[in-house]
Amino acid sequence: GAGRGGAPKPGSSAGGPTNETVKLVNGMRHKRMGGGDIVVSEFGLGTQRWGGADFNSPDESLCHQFLDRAVLEKGVSLIDTAEQYPIPSDRARPEGNTERIIGSWLAKDKTRREKVVLATKITGGSNVTKKNIVKDLEGSLRRFGTDYVDVYTLHWPARYTPQSNWGQSLQYHRKQENAPWYRDHASFEEIAEAMSDLIDAGKLRGWGMCNDNAYGLTASCYAAYALENGHAPCVMQNDFSLINRRVEENGVTEASSPANENVGFMAYNVLAGGVLTGKYLDVAAAVDNPRDPELAERLLNDPRGRMDDYSWGKTLYRYRSGPAGDATRQYAAIADAAGVSLTELALRWCRARDGVTSSLIGHTSMAQLDETLACFDANGDKGKPLPADVAWEIDRVHMRNRLPIFASDRVGRDWDGAGEIGERVP
């Protein structure tokens, strides 16, 4: 059966504990992802809006500049994308455009492919079947212009779980299991078999899941262990930041430990959709200014980021719930007292977490990318761990307000079991 965390079969020399630092490339630490031979930079390029229809989506030229700077100059290897990207898309910039843009950069020089670790995702839910895992991967390979992908993940689980909900639903509702789009979902065994076959065929090096939980991770591992040719997942990817430590406290980090399933972890929304840059602290996001329509209109017309966009601002309200806003202000005060920006505090905190293999961060300008790169430069001051007293002040805030993005003071008496964007709560 499978080795743990995508590890080679017993007796092979490759492999080791997930998250161990394996090498330093141009000041960038590279860590083992899972128990096998996949090694990634501890900062990965997040690409959700590359070539997209957003007001500030980076175009193909800027995306190529990001790749030149990060990969060719600064030692970044990990690029995380999805067949569904860009989000948002439109007719001129359809789903798959992000993979195509990465492929057009790779095509400029054949040596580039071996410098990067390509991670992409199959669209989740009822789209996940053995047949579609094979078919959708072929589409991604074609757009990348390569014959293998390093890491292939489910964008969200095939089964029902409130953990993949974009709003604030945390309670498990058993009736949802029978919804038509969940009832006949692919089993853990079917998924593990499809992924293992693709690894044996040389089209994949490792696989995993996103927006899932400790049950999904562990069940996926044991489904793979039971197969004769099984390859266990090597990574989980979830939302994780100063204002969302859920994975550390709900069993994901425990299940992922080298002592248990030995699986890597990619953190996304490390800056909480831009909230942890502090740019919405003095003037709230456009949709949070209902009593000042003039200000809201001005922000919508000249947005500082996605939170000032009407649709994104509504969808991502969890990062600006009352408790999340309180925590963000307290972290900003800690950063100020330490003489660093809130962005730097958030990135350095995440980088130092034991359970994190790589932090995925998206950018809309070269200045933003350079700020991130400085926080992951092992040779610079910003690449060092935060001082112990600063880390303790962060923990003190956390102890008073543990899961702020899943708490809200905006729940109407007449909302009748629904959250702010219509999701089922609690």
Side-chain angles (χ1 to χ4, degrees):
R4 301 225 184 268
K9 298 287 192 295
S12 167
S13 58
T18 191
N19 302 356
E20 71 172 345
T21 300
V22 175
K23 59 184 177 182
L24 201 64
V25 180
N26 294 348
M28 179 69 57
R29 296 176 194 86
H30 285 232
K31 294 179 175 176
R32 189 178 308 284
M33 178 185 280
D37 62 356
I38 298 175
V39 174
V40 301
S41 52
E42 64 174 2
F43 151 48
L45 289 164
T47 66
Q48 187 191 67
R49 289 188 292 166
W50 283 19
D54 238 344
F55 68 94
N56 62 351
S57 291
D59 63 14
E60 185 161 352
S61 169
L62 183 54
C63 294
H64 284 194
Q65 290 174 54
F66 289 162
L67 287 160
D68 288 346
R69 175 71 53 88
V71 178
L72 303 182
E73 296 175 26
K74 296 293 184 178
V76 172
S77 66
L78 179 60
I79 306 168
D80 179 75
T81 191
E83 66 173 357
Q84 205 181 30
Y85 292 173
I87 300 175
S89 57
D90 61 16
R91 222 176 234 181
R93 294 155 292 195
E95 291 183 3
N97 197 38
T98 306
E99 290 180 329
R100 183 198 62 75
I101 286 171
I102 295 164
S104 69
W105 180 82
L106 290 171
K108 290 180 180 180
D109 179 348
K110 289 288 180 267
T111 66
R112 290 180 175 183
R113 180 64 188 91
E114 66 205 34
K115 291 184 171 79
V116 299
V117 176
L118 281 183
T120 193
K121 311 176 193 75
I122 178 174
T123 300
S126 57
N127 182 60
V128 178
T129 63
K130 189 170 185 180
K131 184 180 169 189
N132 284 354
I133 288 170
V134 174
K135 179 173 74 70
D136 288 21
L137 178 63
E138 287 298 336
S140 292
L141 291 172
R142 195 170 57 249
R143 288 184 289 273
F144 284 135
T146 184
D147 56 4
Y148 74 99
V149 155
D150 296 282
V151 180
Y152 200 40
T153 54
L154 312 184
H155 207 148
W156 61 92
R159 70 187 195 283
Y160 159 65
T161 168
Q163 305 293 318
S164 64
N165 189 284
W166 267 55
Q168 294 186 305
S169 174
L170 287 176
Q171 183 177 321
Y172 188 84
H173 296 279
R174 285 176 63 181
K175 282 182 182 167
Q176 286 292 99
E177 296 168 345
N178 294 315
W181 47 90
Y182 294 127
R183 198 182 302 127
D184 300 314
H185 69 81
S187 66
F188 290 112
E189 292 76 12
E190 180 182 344
I191 295 163
E193 198 174 304
M195 295 293 193
S196 296
D197 287 349
L198 286 165
I199 290 173
D200 286 346
K203 296 192 172 183
L204 279 189
R205 292 176 65 211
W207 70 282
M209 64 289 303
C210 309
N211 302 307
D212 209 327
N213 56 21
Y215 167 64
L217 174 64
T218 310
S220 297
C221 288
Y222 278 83
Y225 301 154
L227 295 172
E228 201 172 319
N229 74 325
H231 295 270
C234 68
V235 72
M236 164 85 89
Q237 180 184 146
N238 270 19
D239 187 300
F240 180 73
S241 71
L242 277 172
I243 58 174
N244 181 15
R245 299 195 194 188
R246 181 170 60 165
V247 296
E248 291 186 334
E249 301 183 346
N250 75 351
V252 169
T253 304
E254 177 185 355
S256 303
S257 166
N260 297 315
E261 308 314 324
N262 200 22
V263 173
F265 181 77
M266 293 189 276
Y268 77 82
N269 266 340
V270 171
L271 293 175
V275 166
L276 288 172
T277 64
K279 63 185 168 188
Y280 304 105
L281 284 177
D282 293 336
V283 179
V287 293
D288 297 337
N289 285 298
R291 292 193 182 138
D292 192 341
E294 211 174 286
L295 173 62
E297 189 68 26
R298 200 161 70 241
L299 294 172
L300 287 167
N301 289 332
D302 185 19
R304 295 160 292 178
R306 58 169 46 175
M307 295 296 174
D308 280 338
D309 176 83
Y310 190 79
S311 58
W312 277 121
K314 285 276 197 201
T315 303
L316 300 176
Y317 83 95
R318 64 190 184 278
Y319 298 109
R320 306 183 320 279
S321 71
D326 291 344
T328 301
R329 278 185 285 277
Q330 288 176 293
Y331 291 132
I334 292 170
D336 198 44
V340 301
S341 69
L342 178 55
T343 302
E344 183 181 329
L345 186 86
L347 293 180
R348 288 174 65 183
W349 176 85
C350 189
R351 185 186 62 68
R353 305 310 285 177
D354 282 346
V356 174
T357 316
S358 189
S359 302
L360 307 174
I361 302 145
H363 308 88
T364 56
S365 70
M366 198 60 90
Q368 288 181 354
L369 174 60
D370 286 338
E371 186 177 9
T372 296
L373 287 166
C375 293
F376 287 86
D377 180 356
N379 298 324
D381 286 343
K382 293 181 179 183
K384 295 186 173 78
L386 290 167
D389 60 328
V390 175
W392 177 238
E393 287 305 311
I394 289 171
D395 285 341
R396 290 181 65 225
V397 171
H398 174 66
M399 290 304 293
R400 292 193 291 270
N401 189 359
R402 284 190 99 97
L403 273 182
I405 80 164
F406 296 105
S408 182
D409 52 13
R410 304 197 307 218
V411 184
R413 190 181 292 272
D414 58 350
W415 289 11
D416 193 24
E420 197 160 325
I421 55 173
E423 78 275 32
R424 189 168 186 168
V425 294

